[in-house]
Amino acid sequence: GESVGLHLPTLSVQEGDNSIINCAYSNSASDYFIWYKQESGKGPQFIIDIRSNMDKRQGQRVTVLLNKTVKHLSLQIAATQPGDSAVYFCAEKTQGGSEKLVFGKGTKLTVNP
Amino acid sequence: EAQVTQNPRYLITVTGKKLTVTCSQNMNHEYMSWYRQDPGLGLRQIYYSMNVEVTDKGDVPEGYKVSRKEKRNFPLILESPSPNQTSLYFCASSFGSSGRRVEYFGPGTRLTVL
């Protein structure tokens, strides 16, 4: 597969464990955050998003937590499976202007059977 | 099936030979973007378009052109490719509603410029 990044932060977990992937953002004016999953050789795939007026949002097996005080975002994956192995990116958007997403560099998650 | 398609998926070319990477989406999205992804640098936006005939530069626009003549298509043009444009390119389309912006990505185009 294609490598999406060298020297990425990595997280290795056992199958069935919960995973927590962290992301620090820099712009206190960001009002929207989103997580993507990128498997080897594929484009990024949307997982879950959250607006800044919330501090927690849950999806299927995933939860995003937002702490605006310390500008920190996390993605929790419950009962991690081998198919969850991928690079995970967070992105932020600032209200108004170009509406563009600014992406973090990613974390590589490896799930061991 | 809702999707973003890109062509070609892989391309090897030589310095200075003009090329176009096509992008098409079938979700009726107004917003489309091009990104490049390089090891250690993550995804960086090259150009974006908020609607037909409306395009603007992203973070790394030098050496690239785009056009948006139709809502569904957003081609990326390299008039005179150089080796530093060797990269993995992604097209994306998105909707925005109530402050959200969910980008849907194509499968990527691996470009090598010799």
Side-chain angles (χ1 to χ4, degrees), chain B residues 7-88:
Chain B
N7 282 292
R9 293 290 316 279
Y10 300 90
L11 179 59
I12 300 174
T13 190
V14 296
T15 298
K17 186 176 181 181
K18 181 180 178 180
L19 66 93
T20 299
V21 184
T22 64
C23 173
S24 183
Q25 52 98 0
N26 62 2
M27 295 170 279
N28 201 36
H29 288 162
E30 291 182 346
Y31 195 105
M32 297 187 74
S33 300
W34 274 102
Y35 294 87
R36 61 178 289 172
Q37 187 174 45
D38 301 289
L41 297 177
L43 283 159
R44 294 179 293 167
Q45 192 183 56
I46 302 170
Y47 268 94
Y48 67 96
S49 169
M50 298 185 86
N51 214 326
V52 175
E53 302 291 2
V54 180
T55 63
D56 208 346
K57 297 176 181 178
D59 298 317
V60 287
E62 293 77 20
Y64 304 95
K65 287 176 56 177
V66 293
S67 68
R68 187 90 181 274
K69 293 183 170 56
E70 307 164 278
K71 198 172 191 178
R72 64 182 294 124
N73 296 323
F74 190 44
L76 178 69
I77 303 156
L78 284 72
E79 294 270 6
S80 183
S82 62
N84 65 11
Q85 292 178 298
T86 293
S87 188
L88 180 58

Side-chain angles (χ1 to χ4, degrees), chain A residues 2-6 32 34 36 38 41-44 46 49 51 89 93 97-101 103 105, chain B residues 9-10 31 35 37-41 43 45 48 50 59 88 90 98-103 105-107 110:
Chain A
E2 295 160 335
S3 171
V4 300
L6 299 177
Y32 172 76
I34 189 168
Y36 282 90
Q38 187 174 23
K42 297 184 178 180
F46 168 72
D49 60 354
R51 293 172 59 187
F89 298 95
K93 181 182 74 68
S98 70
E99 291 280 303
K100 76 173 184 180
L101 294 176
F103 286 83
K105 294 186 173 45
Chain B
R9 293 290 316 279
Y10 300 90
Y31 195 105
Y35 294 87
Q37 187 174 45
D38 301 289
L41 297 177
L43 283 159
Q45 192 183 56
Y48 67 96
M50 298 185 86
D59 298 317
L88 180 58
F90 289 101
S98 302
R100 300 177 71 203
R101 173 65 63 192
V102 182
E103 292 261 48
F105 286 84
R110 169 66 71 181

